Structure formats: C-alpha cells, structure tokens
Amino acid sequence: GEEVAQTPKHLVRGEGQKAKLYCAPIKGHSYVFWYQQVLKNEFKFLISFQNENVFDETGMPKERFSAKCLPNSPCSLEIQATKLEDSAVYFCASSQQQGSTDTQYFGPGTRLTVL
Amino acid sequence: GDSVTQMEGPVTLSEEAFLTINCTYTATGYPSLFWYVQYPGEGLQLLLKATKADDKGSNKGFEATYRKETTSFHLEKGSVQVSDSAVYFCALSDRGNFNKFYFGSGTKLNVKP
C-alpha cells in the first residue's frame, strides 16, 4: 500500500496481560522502525528491521518486548506482561532504503492503555 | 550521543503572523534533518527535510535551513493559518547510528483566527 498501516488503533490491557501490535509497511520499503511516544510527546526508538532481519535493537526492553517482521505478513511488536509504564502510542515507520537521507513514513499509531 | 532540542511550547499566534520554531541538534556524524507535523489524533507527516549543510527544505510555505556552524534547523513560515495548528517535531537521522531518528520534544502551535 501507499501508507503505513497499523492495527489496532486502540488497545486496552490489564496489567500483566499480553499486547500485540501490527504494522504493514509501505509496499517496496525494506526498513521498518518502531517508536514509542510517551508523555510530553517524547519519542523513544525501540527496534528496526531490514526486511525480516533485525537491524538495530538497541532501544528494546528485551525482558518483555519482542518484535518480528516475517515475509508476507505484517510486522508485529509484542509486549508480554504489560506494565502501567507501557501505556503510550506506538508508531511504526518504514523507509525505502538504508541511508540517513531517507525519509521515514509513519503510520497513525496504536494507543496502548494499560490499566 | 545524538540529540535534538526544540523550543518549548505552546506557541500561540494570530493568523497571518510570522512563525519561528527553534531547533538545535547534537550529532556525532553527518545527520540529515527533518521536520514532521502531527495533527491531533494522527501520525507524523513529513513536512520538509535537508540532507546536508546549507540545504534549505521547504513545503507548504514552511522553510528550514541546515546550519552546520550553529547546529540548527529552525522552522519558519511567513504567514500562519488556523489550519497550521498542530505539534511540530524536529528530528535527525545519523547514518553512523543505524539511521534511527532522534526527535525533539515537539512544539505545539496554536493559531487563532
């Protein structure tokens, strides 16, 4: 598609429950990025993929967060045993090529609320 | 490490006023610089970008010039409209750091009729 698609738009989970978010990058884009937007608009980088391979995972809290990008499937970000502090908007972005000049195109985000 | 600093908002202007939103950056390599805009309830939309020193990015009346000597990328518009009300984010991408984006904290712009 021509836009990055993210589902669901909203997700509510009780503390300790699992949450799974999905992202379909723009067709033909090889790179996928996940960001977490918390209070006061702060963006935190989580992980990036080059096709189905992890490119950079330096931002991932590895104890409870995992992510995948499998061929012919939407990418996913999964949080096991959610905590209150995981409440945020999670954005996915895709870019066509590797390069700092390359624009990242963002999806509309998934708002996760942990109660 | 890489970082972006933006002026704190909110910024409130009357329609047709001149807009400046300051952005400065710190980077270890040779970053590209971007401005994104976020309307309420929506994702980020690219507004403009510049990929090397002295480049000027422009779009929809907005402009920003990549100033390496002052490590700045200030956003300007000569005459704002009510429809420009949104949150504006300055960002950098550093090819020496896996091209992940570093964002400023965002500046909310309110334009009154």
Side-chain angles (χ1 to χ4, degrees):
Chain A
E2 294 296 318
E3 294 180 340
V4 176
Q6 288 190 249
T7 56
K9 192 167 183 178
H10 300 282
L11 190 58
V12 179
R13 288 290 179 264
E15 207 171 4
Q17 291 185 316
K18 184 174 76 175
K20 196 164 185 178
L21 293 60
Y22 297 92
C23 167
I26 293 173
K27 193 175 180 182
H29 282 195
S30 302
Y31 291 84
V32 171
F33 302 79
W34 285 98
Y35 296 89
Q36 179 192 53
Q37 186 183 29
V38 293
L39 291 175
K40 293 191 176 180
N41 292 323
E42 178 189 339
F43 276 86
K44 179 188 172 189
F45 167 78
L46 295 175
I47 190 169
S48 61
F49 288 84
Q50 179 185 10
N51 297 312
E52 62 266 29
N53 303 307
V54 173
F55 189 58
D56 178 8
E57 57 181 350
T58 52
M60 281 288 267
K62 292 182 183 176
E63 307 81 42
R64 298 181 295 108
F65 284 61
S66 62
K68 294 179 186 176
C69 276
L70 300 176
N72 302 314
S73 297
C75 296
S76 63
L77 176 69
E78 189 168 337
I79 309 172
Q80 302 285 344
T82 52
K83 296 183 177 181
L84 296 176
E85 69 224 39
D86 299 330
S87 294
V89 181
Y90 291 82
F91 287 100
C92 172
S94 71
S95 68
Q96 193 167 21
Q97 299 171 8
Q98 176 189 357
S100 67
T101 62
D102 214 45
T103 299
Q104 291 184 21
Y105 296 89
F106 284 77
T110 293
R111 180 176 293 278
L112 172 65
T113 301
V114 181
L115 302 175
Chain B
D2 296 343
S3 67
V4 176
T5 303
Q6 271 182 253
M7 63 185 286
E8 289 211 14
V11 173
T12 301
L13 296 172
S14 298
E15 209 165 20
E16 299 184 3
F18 184 85
L19 168 71
T20 301
I21 300 178
N22 290 338
C23 170
T24 57
Y25 68 89
T26 302
T28 52
Y30 301 94
S32 294
L33 301 171
F34 301 79
W35 277 100
Y36 282 82
V37 58
Q38 186 177 32
Y39 297 100
E42 297 186 11
L44 295 174
Q45 298 176 22
L46 176 69
L47 185 57
L48 53 85
K49 73 178 190 182
T51 59
K52 61 182 186 296
D54 300 324
D55 268 3
K56 178 188 278 189
S58 61
N59 185 26
K60 299 181 182 178
F62 291 89
E63 292 183 340
T65 301
Y66 188 160
R67 301 280 188 206
K68 191 175 179 183
E69 62 277 11
T70 54
T71 61
S72 65
F73 193 54
H74 304 321
L75 182 68
E76 295 182 337
K77 187 175 185 182
S79 176
V80 293
Q81 305 300 313
V82 172
S83 57
D84 294 327
S85 298
V87 181
Y88 292 80
F89 290 91
C90 184
L92 74 81
S93 171
D94 186 348
R95 79 170 73 100
N97 212 343
F98 295 99
N99 304 325
K100 57 177 166 277
F101 273 30
Y102 293 86
F103 286 91
S105 54
T107 302
K108 186 171 184 179
L109 171 65
N110 296 315
V111 180
K112 296 185 174 180

